[in-house]
Amino acid sequence: EGANKGVAMLQQTLKDCHEQVVFGLATGGTPQTLYRLLSASQLDFSRCIAINLDEYVGLDQENPQSYAYYMNRHLFSKKPFQQTFIPNGMNRNATVETQRYDQILDRYPIDLQILGLGQNGHIGFNEPGTPFESTTHEVQLTESTIAANARFFAQSTDVPRSAYSMGIKSIMAAKQIIIMAYGKAKAAAVKKLVLGPVTTAVPASILQQHPNVTLIVDEAAADQIKKEKVEN
């Protein structure tokens, strides 16, 4: 049901924008249902531009664990876009690559940004403590993130140690944002996102200051918000 709401919002954005439409896209488990529904839909993205949030450093586009591979598999191979942009994980010069990506974001302001929500409140690869003024940057992955990703790789030494990610300022520049969270494991982060103080300890909390955010959650992810309302 939540993913259907997301499809409807993308459809409305396509209707409202008579010229080129720019979508900011996320990867991971959360948006997969949305991408499956978009792939099966009649929506035409041939005049649209897609700009992805992040990419692992050191993985090329043919690596099954890269986000470029993920996007091609789940969406781009089924729904062609006019242009797609993903950070180049094979460019080891972080200064050059992050500046290149910031220039893309300046050239193509995002109309609608899709986000997932991490259990610790991260958005993109912006972990707790990331400054709200951050633009595209290289993120050193935490040991917990590396450990969580190890199951996808043949051996733990293959897991990337860093990633390029849009910064929080980059994300907040989008005209409209959809953030999705499903499952009980996300309930605490959803509560902090909606009801908690705006703090870099919970990167997603900055979305409280954005003028146009839609939160899509299931019953389990909304559980702690519902309890708060009952208690108050």
Side-chain angles (χ1 to χ4, degrees), residues 99-126:
Q99 286 179 354
R100 180 188 78 89
Y101 218 63
D102 281 339
Q103 288 168 359
I104 290 167
L105 290 164
D106 286 342
R107 197 182 319 143
Y108 302 110
I110 292 173
D111 294 298
L112 178 61
Q113 174 69 56
I114 306 293
L115 294 175
L117 176 67
Q119 291 184 33
N120 62 359
H122 73 245
I123 45 178
F125 266 122
N126 297 292

PDB file of all heavy atoms in Angstrom, residues 99-126:
ATOM      1  N   GLN A  99      33.205  16.728  -6.161  1.00  0.00           N
ATOM      2  CA  GLN A  99      32.948  17.998  -6.851  1.00  0.00           C
ATOM      3  C   GLN A  99      32.166  17.769  -8.142  1.00  0.00           C
ATOM      4  O   GLN A  99      31.263  18.541  -8.480  1.00  0.00           O
ATOM      5  CB  GLN A  99      34.263  18.722  -7.153  1.00  0.00           C
ATOM      6  CG  GLN A  99      34.908  19.342  -5.916  1.00  0.00           C
ATOM      7  CD  GLN A  99      36.223  20.038  -6.215  1.00  0.00           C
ATOM      8  OE1 GLN A  99      36.735  19.984  -7.339  1.00  0.00           O
ATOM      9  NE2 GLN A  99      36.789  20.681  -5.205  1.00  0.00           N
ATOM     10  N   ARG A 100      32.517  16.707  -8.852  1.00  0.00           N
ATOM     11  CA  ARG A 100      31.784  16.364 -10.084  1.00  0.00           C
ATOM     12  C   ARG A 100      30.305  16.141  -9.776  1.00  0.00           C
ATOM     13  O   ARG A 100      29.419  16.627 -10.485  1.00  0.00           O
ATOM     14  CB  ARG A 100      32.384  15.094 -10.714  1.00  0.00           C
ATOM     15  CG  ARG A 100      31.690  14.647 -12.009  1.00  0.00           C
ATOM     16  CD  ARG A 100      32.197  13.288 -12.488  1.00  0.00           C
ATOM     17  NE  ARG A 100      31.614  12.185 -11.713  1.00  0.00           N
ATOM     18  CZ  ARG A 100      30.463  11.582 -12.021  1.00  0.00           C
ATOM     19  NH1 ARG A 100      29.757  11.977 -13.067  1.00  0.00           N
ATOM     20  NH2 ARG A 100      30.012  10.576 -11.279  1.00  0.00           N
ATOM     21  N   TYR A 101      30.044  15.425  -8.699  1.00  0.00           N
ATOM     22  CA  TYR A 101      28.654  15.101  -8.365  1.00  0.00           C
ATOM     23  C   TYR A 101      27.885  16.335  -7.900  1.00  0.00           C
ATOM     24  O   TYR A 101      26.712  16.514  -8.231  1.00  0.00           O
ATOM     25  CB  TYR A 101      28.609  13.992  -7.314  1.00  0.00           C
ATOM     26  CG  TYR A 101      27.480  13.013  -7.556  1.00  0.00           C
ATOM     27  CD1 TYR A 101      27.447  12.236  -8.717  1.00  0.00           C
ATOM     28  CD2 TYR A 101      26.428  12.875  -6.651  1.00  0.00           C
ATOM     29  CE1 TYR A 101      26.415  11.359  -8.966  1.00  0.00           C
ATOM     30  CE2 TYR A 101      25.383  11.988  -6.886  1.00  0.00           C
ATOM     31  CZ  TYR A 101      25.381  11.237  -8.053  1.00  0.00           C
ATOM     32  OH  TYR A 101      24.345  10.367  -8.302  1.00  0.00           O
ATOM     33  N   ASP A 102      28.557  17.204  -7.152  1.00  0.00           N
ATOM     34  CA  ASP A 102      27.900  18.456  -6.738  1.00  0.00           C
ATOM     35  C   ASP A 102      27.531  19.301  -7.951  1.00  0.00           C
ATOM     36  O   ASP A 102      26.474  19.955  -7.964  1.00  0.00           O
ATOM     37  CB  ASP A 102      28.815  19.252  -5.800  1.00  0.00           C
ATOM     38  CG  ASP A 102      28.811  18.713  -4.370  1.00  0.00           C
ATOM     39  OD1 ASP A 102      27.839  18.015  -4.004  1.00  0.00           O
ATOM     40  OD2 ASP A 102      29.766  18.993  -3.627  1.00  0.00           O
ATOM     41  N   GLN A 103      28.386  19.280  -8.974  1.00  0.00           N
ATOM     42  CA  GLN A 103      28.088  20.031 -10.201  1.00  0.00           C
ATOM     43  C   GLN A 103      26.858  19.465 -10.907  1.00  0.00           C
ATOM     44  O   GLN A 103      26.037  20.211 -11.452  1.00  0.00           O
ATOM     45  CB  GLN A 103      29.303  20.024 -11.135  1.00  0.00           C
ATOM     46  CG  GLN A 103      30.449  20.901 -10.629  1.00  0.00           C
ATOM     47  CD  GLN A 103      31.756  20.670 -11.377  1.00  0.00           C
ATOM     48  OE1 GLN A 103      31.835  19.832 -12.283  1.00  0.00           O
ATOM     49  NE2 GLN A 103      32.794  21.401 -11.001  1.00  0.00           N
ATOM     50  N   ILE A 104      26.721  18.136 -10.900  1.00  0.00           N
ATOM     51  CA  ILE A 104      25.529  17.492 -11.480  1.00  0.00           C
ATOM     52  C   ILE A 104      24.278  17.942 -10.729  1.00  0.00           C
ATOM     53  O   ILE A 104      23.257  18.286 -11.330  1.00  0.00           O
ATOM     54  CB  ILE A 104      25.670  15.954 -11.433  1.00  0.00           C
ATOM     55  CG1 ILE A 104      26.752  15.488 -12.425  1.00  0.00           C
ATOM     56  CG2 ILE A 104      24.336  15.268 -11.736  1.00  0.00           C
ATOM     57  CD1 ILE A 104      27.178  14.045 -12.243  1.00  0.00           C
ATOM     58  N   LEU A 105      24.362  17.951  -9.395  1.00  0.00           N
ATOM     59  CA  LEU A 105      23.211  18.356  -8.576  1.00  0.00           C
ATOM     60  C   LEU A 105      22.859  19.824  -8.786  1.00  0.00           C
ATOM     61  O   LEU A 105      21.680  20.200  -8.736  1.00  0.00           O
ATOM     62  CB  LEU A 105      23.501  18.081  -7.097  1.00  0.00           C
ATOM     63  CG  LEU A 105      23.537  16.591  -6.724  1.00  0.00           C
ATOM     64  CD1 LEU A 105      24.205  16.383  -5.373  1.00  0.00           C
ATOM     65  CD2 LEU A 105      22.128  16.005  -6.705  1.00  0.00           C
ATOM     66  N   ASP A 106      23.874  20.656  -9.024  1.00  0.00           N
ATOM     67  CA  ASP A 106      23.613  22.070  -9.315  1.00  0.00           C
ATOM     68  C   ASP A 106      22.930  22.227 -10.672  1.00  0.00           C
ATOM     69  O   ASP A 106      22.056  23.071 -10.854  1.00  0.00           O
ATOM     70  CB  ASP A 106      24.925  22.868  -9.319  1.00  0.00           C
ATOM     71  CG  ASP A 106      25.477  23.092  -7.918  1.00  0.00           C
ATOM     72  OD1 ASP A 106      24.703  22.936  -6.942  1.00  0.00           O
ATOM     73  OD2 ASP A 106      26.683  23.396  -7.790  1.00  0.00           O
ATOM     74  N   ARG A 107      23.357  21.389 -11.616  1.00  0.00           N
ATOM     75  CA  ARG A 107      22.823  21.481 -12.991  1.00  0.00           C
ATOM     76  C   ARG A 107      21.401  20.938 -13.066  1.00  0.00           C
ATOM     77  O   ARG A 107      20.578  21.425 -13.842  1.00  0.00           O
ATOM     78  CB  ARG A 107      23.736  20.692 -13.942  1.00  0.00           C
ATOM     79  CG  ARG A 107      23.541  21.034 -15.421  1.00  0.00           C
ATOM     80  CD  ARG A 107      24.448  20.191 -16.313  1.00  0.00           C
ATOM     81  NE  ARG A 107      25.784  20.055 -15.750  1.00  0.00           N
ATOM     82  CZ  ARG A 107      26.528  18.952 -15.828  1.00  0.00           C
ATOM     83  NH1 ARG A 107      26.069  17.872 -16.445  1.00  0.00           N
ATOM     84  NH2 ARG A 107      27.726  18.916 -15.303  1.00  0.00           N
ATOM     85  N   TYR A 108      21.120  19.903 -12.276  1.00  0.00           N
ATOM     86  CA  TYR A 108      19.805  19.252 -12.330  1.00  0.00           C
ATOM     87  C   TYR A 108      19.171  19.232 -10.931  1.00  0.00           C
ATOM     88  O   TYR A 108      19.235  18.214 -10.229  1.00  0.00           O
ATOM     89  CB  TYR A 108      19.938  17.821 -12.849  1.00  0.00           C
ATOM     90  CG  TYR A 108      20.573  17.702 -14.213  1.00  0.00           C
ATOM     91  CD1 TYR A 108      21.849  17.158 -14.377  1.00  0.00           C
ATOM     92  CD2 TYR A 108      19.889  18.131 -15.357  1.00  0.00           C
ATOM     93  CE1 TYR A 108      22.432  17.049 -15.629  1.00  0.00           C
ATOM     94  CE2 TYR A 108      20.464  18.025 -16.611  1.00  0.00           C
ATOM     95  CZ  TYR A 108      21.737  17.479 -16.747  1.00  0.00           C
ATOM     96  OH  TYR A 108      22.312  17.372 -17.985  1.00  0.00           O
ATOM     97  N   PRO A 109      18.553  20.330 -10.500  1.00  0.00           N
ATOM     98  CA  PRO A 109      17.900  20.348  -9.179  1.00  0.00           C
ATOM     99  C   PRO A 109      16.837  19.253  -9.095  1.00  0.00           C
ATOM    100  O   PRO A 109      16.070  19.042 -10.040  1.00  0.00           O
ATOM    101  CB  PRO A 109      17.273  21.739  -9.108  1.00  0.00           C
ATOM    102  CG  PRO A 109      18.036  22.562 -10.108  1.00  0.00           C
ATOM    103  CD  PRO A 109      18.421  21.621 -11.199  1.00  0.00           C
ATOM    104  N   ILE A 110      16.807  18.553  -7.970  1.00  0.00           N
ATOM    105  CA  ILE A 110      15.921  17.400  -7.813  1.00  0.00           C
ATOM    106  C   ILE A 110      14.488  17.833  -7.506  1.00  0.00           C
ATOM    107  O   ILE A 110      14.240  18.623  -6.590  1.00  0.00           O
ATOM    108  CB  ILE A 110      16.470  16.460  -6.723  1.00  0.00           C
ATOM    109  CG1 ILE A 110      17.781  15.815  -7.218  1.00  0.00           C
ATOM    110  CG2 ILE A 110      15.454  15.376  -6.363  1.00  0.00           C
ATOM    111  CD1 ILE A 110      18.499  14.989  -6.170  1.00  0.00           C
ATOM    112  N   ASP A 111      13.554  17.317  -8.292  1.00  0.00           N
ATOM    113  CA  ASP A 111      12.133  17.601  -8.071  1.00  0.00           C
ATOM    114  C   ASP A 111      11.564  16.726  -6.963  1.00  0.00           C
ATOM    115  O   ASP A 111      10.793  17.201  -6.123  1.00  0.00           O
ATOM    116  CB  ASP A 111      11.340  17.367  -9.369  1.00  0.00           C
ATOM    117  CG  ASP A 111      11.736  18.354 -10.457  1.00  0.00           C
ATOM    118  OD1 ASP A 111      11.547  19.562 -10.241  1.00  0.00           O
ATOM    119  OD2 ASP A 111      12.255  17.915 -11.500  1.00  0.00           O
ATOM    120  N   LEU A 112      11.916  15.444  -6.972  1.00  0.00           N
ATOM    121  CA  LEU A 112      11.384  14.503  -5.976  1.00  0.00           C
ATOM    122  C   LEU A 112      12.493  13.531  -5.573  1.00  0.00           C
ATOM    123  O   LEU A 112      13.039  12.824  -6.419  1.00  0.00           O
ATOM    124  CB  LEU A 112      10.193  13.735  -6.556  1.00  0.00           C
ATOM    125  CG  LEU A 112       9.555  12.667  -5.655  1.00  0.00           C
ATOM    126  CD1 LEU A 112       9.000  13.279  -4.379  1.00  0.00           C
ATOM    127  CD2 LEU A 112       8.453  11.916  -6.393  1.00  0.00           C
ATOM    128  N   GLN A 113      12.799  13.518  -4.283  1.00  0.00           N
ATOM    129  CA  GLN A 113      13.856  12.640  -3.753  1.00  0.00           C
ATOM    130  C   GLN A 113      13.234  11.477  -2.988  1.00  0.00           C
ATOM    131  O   GLN A 113      12.388  11.675  -2.119  1.00  0.00           O
ATOM    132  CB  GLN A 113      14.772  13.433  -2.803  1.00  0.00           C
ATOM    133  CG  GLN A 113      15.821  12.604  -2.085  1.00  0.00           C
ATOM    134  CD  GLN A 113      16.895  12.082  -3.018  1.00  0.00           C
ATOM    135  OE1 GLN A 113      17.545  12.857  -3.723  1.00  0.00           O
ATOM    136  NE2 GLN A 113      17.088  10.773  -3.040  1.00  0.00           N
ATOM    137  N   ILE A 114      13.640  10.249  -3.329  1.00  0.00           N
ATOM    138  CA  ILE A 114      13.234   9.045  -2.597  1.00  0.00           C
ATOM    139  C   ILE A 114      14.308   8.735  -1.559  1.00  0.00           C
ATOM    140  O   ILE A 114      15.496   8.709  -1.874  1.00  0.00           O
ATOM    141  CB  ILE A 114      13.090   7.835  -3.548  1.00  0.00           C
ATOM    142  CG1 ILE A 114      12.147   8.153  -4.717  1.00  0.00           C
ATOM    143  CG2 ILE A 114      12.638   6.594  -2.779  1.00  0.00           C
ATOM    144  CD1 ILE A 114      10.723   8.350  -4.344  1.00  0.00           C
ATOM    145  N   LEU A 115      13.892   8.472  -0.327  1.00  0.00           N
ATOM    146  CA  LEU A 115      14.828   8.108   0.739  1.00  0.00           C
ATOM    147  C   LEU A 115      14.358   6.866   1.476  1.00  0.00           C
ATOM    148  O   LEU A 115      13.151   6.651   1.644  1.00  0.00           O
ATOM    149  CB  LEU A 115      14.956   9.237   1.775  1.00  0.00           C
ATOM    150  CG  LEU A 115      15.573  10.568   1.378  1.00  0.00           C
ATOM    151  CD1 LEU A 115      15.473  11.549   2.542  1.00  0.00           C
ATOM    152  CD2 LEU A 115      17.023  10.395   0.945  1.00  0.00           C
ATOM    153  N   GLY A 116      15.306   6.066   1.948  1.00  0.00           N
ATOM    154  CA  GLY A 116      15.039   5.069   2.966  1.00  0.00           C
ATOM    155  C   GLY A 116      15.514   5.642   4.300  1.00  0.00           C
ATOM    156  O   GLY A 116      16.173   6.684   4.342  1.00  0.00           O
ATOM    157  N   LEU A 117      15.209   4.962   5.376  1.00  0.00           N
ATOM    158  CA  LEU A 117      15.594   5.413   6.718  1.00  0.00           C
ATOM    159  C   LEU A 117      16.365   4.310   7.415  1.00  0.00           C
ATOM    160  O   LEU A 117      15.876   3.196   7.559  1.00  0.00           O
ATOM    161  CB  LEU A 117      14.341   5.773   7.530  1.00  0.00           C
ATOM    162  CG  LEU A 117      14.556   6.178   8.982  1.00  0.00           C
ATOM    163  CD1 LEU A 117      15.310   7.503   9.073  1.00  0.00           C
ATOM    164  CD2 LEU A 117      13.211   6.278   9.711  1.00  0.00           C
ATOM    165  N   GLY A 118      17.587   4.618   7.844  1.00  0.00           N
ATOM    166  CA  GLY A 118      18.378   3.631   8.571  1.00  0.00           C
ATOM    167  C   GLY A 118      17.894   3.473  10.003  1.00  0.00           C
ATOM    168  O   GLY A 118      17.241   4.363  10.552  1.00  0.00           O
ATOM    169  N   GLN A 119      18.222   2.348  10.603  1.00  0.00           N
ATOM    170  CA  GLN A 119      17.803   2.101  11.983  1.00  0.00           C
ATOM    171  C   GLN A 119      18.367   3.139  12.950  1.00  0.00           C
ATOM    172  O   GLN A 119      17.766   3.427  13.982  1.00  0.00           O
ATOM    173  CB  GLN A 119      18.225   0.700  12.429  1.00  0.00           C
ATOM    174  CG  GLN A 119      17.455  -0.412  11.734  1.00  0.00           C
ATOM    175  CD  GLN A 119      17.822  -1.782  12.259  1.00  0.00           C
ATOM    176  OE1 GLN A 119      18.127  -1.959  13.432  1.00  0.00           O
ATOM    177  NE2 GLN A 119      17.797  -2.779  11.382  1.00  0.00           N
ATOM    178  N   ASN A 120      19.523   3.708  12.608  1.00  0.00           N
ATOM    179  CA  ASN A 120      20.116   4.738  13.473  1.00  0.00           C
ATOM    180  C   ASN A 120      19.757   6.145  12.989  1.00  0.00           C
ATOM    181  O   ASN A 120      20.349   7.134  13.430  1.00  0.00           O
ATOM    182  CB  ASN A 120      21.638   4.570  13.546  1.00  0.00           C
ATOM    183  CG  ASN A 120      22.318   4.744  12.184  1.00  0.00           C
ATOM    184  OD1 ASN A 120      21.662   4.967  11.173  1.00  0.00           O
ATOM    185  ND2 ASN A 120      23.636   4.636  12.172  1.00  0.00           N
ATOM    186  N   GLY A 121      18.801   6.225  12.063  1.00  0.00           N
ATOM    187  CA  GLY A 121      18.347   7.527  11.582  1.00  0.00           C
ATOM    188  C   GLY A 121      19.142   8.075  10.414  1.00  0.00           C
ATOM    189  O   GLY A 121      18.968   9.234  10.036  1.00  0.00           O
ATOM    190  N   HIS A 122      20.004   7.242   9.803  1.00  0.00           N
ATOM    191  CA  HIS A 122      20.782   7.773   8.680  1.00  0.00           C
ATOM    192  C   HIS A 122      19.949   7.873   7.414  1.00  0.00           C
ATOM    193  O   HIS A 122      18.966   7.143   7.247  1.00  0.00           O
ATOM    194  CB  HIS A 122      22.067   6.956   8.447  1.00  0.00           C
ATOM    195  CG  HIS A 122      21.858   5.609   7.833  1.00  0.00           C
ATOM    196  ND1 HIS A 122      22.146   4.440   8.485  1.00  0.00           N
ATOM    197  CD2 HIS A 122      21.420   5.237   6.600  1.00  0.00           C
ATOM    198  CE1 HIS A 122      21.882   3.413   7.688  1.00  0.00           C
ATOM    199  NE2 HIS A 122      21.443   3.870   6.542  1.00  0.00           N
ATOM    200  N   ILE A 123      20.328   8.805   6.547  1.00  0.00           N
ATOM    201  CA  ILE A 123      19.737   8.953   5.216  1.00  0.00           C
ATOM    202  C   ILE A 123      20.894   9.012   4.222  1.00  0.00           C
ATOM    203  O   ILE A 123      21.880   9.700   4.452  1.00  0.00           O
ATOM    204  CB  ILE A 123      18.829  10.197   5.096  1.00  0.00           C
ATOM    205  CG1 ILE A 123      19.477  11.435   5.710  1.00  0.00           C
ATOM    206  CG2 ILE A 123      17.470   9.925   5.727  1.00  0.00           C
ATOM    207  CD1 ILE A 123      18.653  12.714   5.585  1.00  0.00           C
ATOM    208  N   GLY A 124      20.780   8.286   3.100  1.00  0.00           N
ATOM    209  CA  GLY A 124      21.944   8.069   2.260  1.00  0.00           C
ATOM    210  C   GLY A 124      22.970   7.328   3.112  1.00  0.00           C
ATOM    211  O   GLY A 124      22.620   6.460   3.912  1.00  0.00           O
ATOM    212  N   PHE A 125      24.236   7.690   2.970  1.00  0.00           N
ATOM    213  CA  PHE A 125      25.266   7.146   3.860  1.00  0.00           C
ATOM    214  C   PHE A 125      25.654   8.179   4.911  1.00  0.00           C
ATOM    215  O   PHE A 125      26.753   8.149   5.451  1.00  0.00           O
ATOM    216  CB  PHE A 125      26.503   6.723   3.054  1.00  0.00           C
ATOM    217  CG  PHE A 125      26.494   5.267   2.661  1.00  0.00           C
ATOM    218  CD1 PHE A 125      26.564   4.900   1.323  1.00  0.00           C
ATOM    219  CD2 PHE A 125      26.438   4.267   3.612  1.00  0.00           C
ATOM    220  CE1 PHE A 125      26.560   3.558   0.942  1.00  0.00           C
ATOM    221  CE2 PHE A 125      26.435   2.924   3.242  1.00  0.00           C
ATOM    222  CZ  PHE A 125      26.495   2.572   1.917  1.00  0.00           C
ATOM    223  N   ASN A 126      24.750   9.113   5.194  1.00  0.00           N
ATOM    224  CA  ASN A 126      25.015  10.140   6.191  1.00  0.00           C
ATOM    225  C   ASN A 126      24.696   9.594   7.576  1.00  0.00           C
ATOM    226  O   ASN A 126      23.550   9.594   8.015  1.00  0.00           O
ATOM    227  CB  ASN A 126      24.182  11.389   5.888  1.00  0.00           C
ATOM    228  CG  ASN A 126      24.554  12.005   4.550  1.00  0.00           C
ATOM    229  OD1 ASN A 126      25.646  12.530   4.388  1.00  0.00           O
ATOM    230  ND2 ASN A 126      23.644  11.917   3.584  1.00  0.00           N
TER     231      ASN A 126
END
